[in-house]
Amino acid sequence: MLISPPELVKQFEEVLSGKPEVDSFVKIFPGVSHGWTVRYELDEAAAVTVAGEAHQDMLAWFTKHIK
């Protein structure tokens, strides 16, 4: 599995924020694995919480850009 270190993600964010014509959003959820928003254990409270947060972010993006 390929993981982008937080420093590299920060560089992506800086590049995107320098382009006002591109609406961007960067958010890091530390300590999660690939596919974590749809494959998590319901008895793991932290996983449920961050997955719910990510789902809300996704819905907000769709509402903003697809509505």
Side-chain angles (χ1 to χ4, degrees), residues 50-66:
V50 295
E53 185 178 336
H55 293 157
Q56 288 302 313
D57 291 342
M58 177 190 64
L59 290 172
W61 186 92
F62 277 113
T63 299
K64 180 178 181 180
H65 295 286
I66 308 297

Side-chain angles (χ1 to χ4, degrees), residues 1-59:
M1 173 172 58
L2 181 61
I3 298 174
S4 296
E7 300 81 20
L8 182 59
V9 175
K10 185 69 176 167
Q11 288 179 343
F12 294 153
E13 181 179 26
E14 290 170 357
V15 168
L16 289 170
S17 67
K19 298 182 177 291
E21 69 277 10
V22 176
D23 187 17
S24 63
F25 175 74
V26 176
K27 188 172 193 177
I28 297 174
F29 291 91
V32 296
S33 60
H34 179 78
W36 62 274
T37 62
V38 293
R39 295 183 301 188
Y40 57 90
E41 298 296 327
L42 292 175
D43 60 347
E44 293 180 17
V48 171
T49 299
V50 295
E53 185 178 336
H55 293 157
Q56 288 302 313
D57 291 342
M58 177 190 64
L59 290 172

